[in-house]
């Protein structure tokens, strides 16, 4: 438990998000013994990855497409 949060629910939260967002998500925790720190790292990494995925790339102009290129 982290306060009122049951750390066992973390996997369910990410599975539910993935199912509803219809995205692919890989979370690998190679080490860590204290649940508070492991869960905190998972959520922080997820938030950063999601932010990066949703931020437009300033190097790309127009609509990204391979139409006519491949």
């Amino acid at each position: 438990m982290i306060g009122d949060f049951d750390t066992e629910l973390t996997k369910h939260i990410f599975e539910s998000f993935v199912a509803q967002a219809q995205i692919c998500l890989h979370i690998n925790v190679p080490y860590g013994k204290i649940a508070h720190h492991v869960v905190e790292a998972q959520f922080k990494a997820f938030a950063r990855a999601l932010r990066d995925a949703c931020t437009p790339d300033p190097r790309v102009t127009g609509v990204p497409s391979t139409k006519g290129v491949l």
Side-chain angles (χ1 to χ4, degrees):
M1 297 291 289
I2 301 173
D4 292 334
F5 179 71
D6 183 359
T7 57
E8 296 292 321
L9 293 175
T10 304
K11 182 177 178 182
H12 175 68
I13 289 169
F14 286 123
E15 287 174 345
S16 297
F17 184 89
V18 165
Q20 293 302 308
Q22 298 181 358
I23 62 172
C24 181
L25 175 67
H26 297 274
I27 297 178
N28 182 24
V29 182
Y31 54 87
K33 296 179 182 175
I34 302 171
H36 169 86
H37 296 290
V38 172
V39 170
E40 182 180 50
Q42 288 174 325
F43 277 103
K44 184 172 184 177
F46 173 69
R48 291 177 63 116
L50 190 60
R51 179 184 61 196
D52 286 349
C54 295
T55 301
D57 186 340
R59 299 171 296 176
V60 176
T61 58
V63 178
S65 174
T66 57
K67 185 174 182 177
V69 178
L70 298 177

